[in-house]
Amino acid sequence: SQQGEEDPQALSIQEGENATMNCSYKTSINNLQWYRQNSGRGLVHLILIRSNEREKHSGRLRVTLDTSKKSSSLLITASRAADTASYFCATDEGGSEKLVFGKGTKLTVNP
Amino acid sequence: DTAVSQTPKYLVTQMGNDKSIKCEQNLGHDTMYWYKQDSKKFLKIMFSYNNKELIINETVPNRFSPKSPDKAHLNLHINSLELGDSAVYFCASSSGHNTGELFFGEGSRLTVL
């Protein structure tokens, strides 16, 4: 079953701009994770936010989590061409052992 | 020193054939997974093993048979390949089965003709 739904499906911005991607999910969770996938490559873990956390930062990444709205956002500040990739959110459905991924947002950063 | 390595990277075969994809991790993790990514980039879990024991079997046709000879290896054998099996198959590992960070391999692109 599909848990996370990313929005938008595709995003195109200029270098230096900020990029915001959203994720909505359906069931309760223990944590939510964001991954990046460059074209033709495997997924790389970016950040994990637990259900009792509201915001987390890692370098140019900022993740927020609103469990009341069952949604999360990933903000990439001062984007670079190298940030061009697909970004996926993933959640554990109802705290299960299974990590379920959304369909992803394809981000294009134009130089 | 690749953390999660899978072979082959590309696999082109005819319908009805049997093929295997191998995965090895050198991270010392206890849990390994197989995910399938379709042409629309949707990533779906297929199997999960924890210390050689099957934990998750996500309604995958029994033509797919995972095998874990030890906790560092998880292979995927597919019998009687069908056109719909064409996808990219990703192996991943994690330190536990509590859905912490997953480490992914680079993927194996299977094309069934």
Side-chain angles (χ1 to χ4, degrees):
Chain A
S1 61
Q2 181 186 338
Q3 169 77 314
E5 288 268 359
E6 287 90 342
D7 168 55
Q9 289 188 342
L11 180 61
S12 182
I13 59 173
Q14 296 298 124
E15 234 176 359
E17 293 180 341
N18 295 341
T20 300
M21 288 158 269
N22 302 298
C23 168
S24 59
Y25 57 92
K26 298 181 180 121
T27 67
S28 63
I29 60 171
N30 285 332
N31 66 65
L32 183 144
Q33 304 180 40
W34 284 91
Y35 287 78
R36 184 183 78 194
Q37 183 180 32
N38 286 58
S39 181
R41 306 296 299 273
L43 281 78
V44 175
H45 181 264
L46 295 176
I47 200 163
L48 180 153
I49 186 165
R50 302 198 184 281
S51 59
N52 60 354
E53 297 176 308
R54 291 297 166 256
E55 189 171 311
K56 205 160 182 182
H57 296 253
S58 177
R60 293 183 296 113
L61 305 181
R62 174 180 163 239
V63 168
T64 62
L65 179 63
D66 187 334
T67 52
S68 66
K69 294 181 180 177
K70 292 188 170 58
S71 67
S72 172
S73 68
L74 170 67
L75 168 68
I76 304 174
T77 59
S79 63
R80 305 166 181 166
D83 295 328
T84 294
S86 291
Y87 292 82
F88 295 86
C89 69
T91 59
D92 51 347
E93 283 185 333
S96 76
E97 296 169 346
K98 186 167 60 173
L99 198 62
V100 179
F101 287 79
K103 290 183 177 177
T105 292
K106 185 171 183 179
L107 173 66
T108 302
V109 182
N110 302 298
Chain B
D1 60 343
T2 304
V4 181
S5 58
Q6 48 183 116
T7 56
K9 190 171 173 63
Y10 299 98
L11 195 51
V12 180
T13 189
Q14 299 287 332
M15 265 175 46
N17 284 350
D18 304 338
K19 289 293 177 187
S20 292
I21 306 171
K22 295 185 176 182
C23 179
E24 175 182 3
Q25 54 96 3
N26 63 6
L27 298 167
H29 288 165
D30 287 333
T31 308
M32 296 184 72
Y33 310 80
W34 278 110
Y35 278 83
K36 177 182 179 180
Q37 187 173 46
D38 64 22
S39 58
K40 295 182 179 178
K41 303 293 186 188
F42 180 47
L43 201 67
K44 184 173 168 57
I45 190 167
M46 300 173 70
F47 301 103
S48 163
Y49 270 73
N50 179 261
N51 214 356
K52 302 194 298 176
E53 182 184 343
L54 180 65
I55 302 295
I56 296 172
N57 183 343
E58 191 69 6
T59 59
V60 177
N62 57 15
R63 296 183 296 104
F64 291 78
S65 52
K67 284 198 171 44
S68 183
D70 54 62
K71 73 173 194 176
H73 295 84
L74 180 62
N75 304 323
L76 183 65
H77 187 77
I78 315 170
N79 290 327
S80 303
L81 279 157
E82 300 177 356
L83 294 176
D85 297 331
S86 294
V88 182
Y89 292 85
F90 285 98
C91 177
S93 72
S94 66
S95 60
H97 56 93
N98 58 353
T99 62
E101 176 184 353
L102 296 189
F103 292 77
F104 281 83
E106 291 292 287
S108 296
R109 180 175 292 277
L110 171 65
T111 302
V112 182
L113 303 175

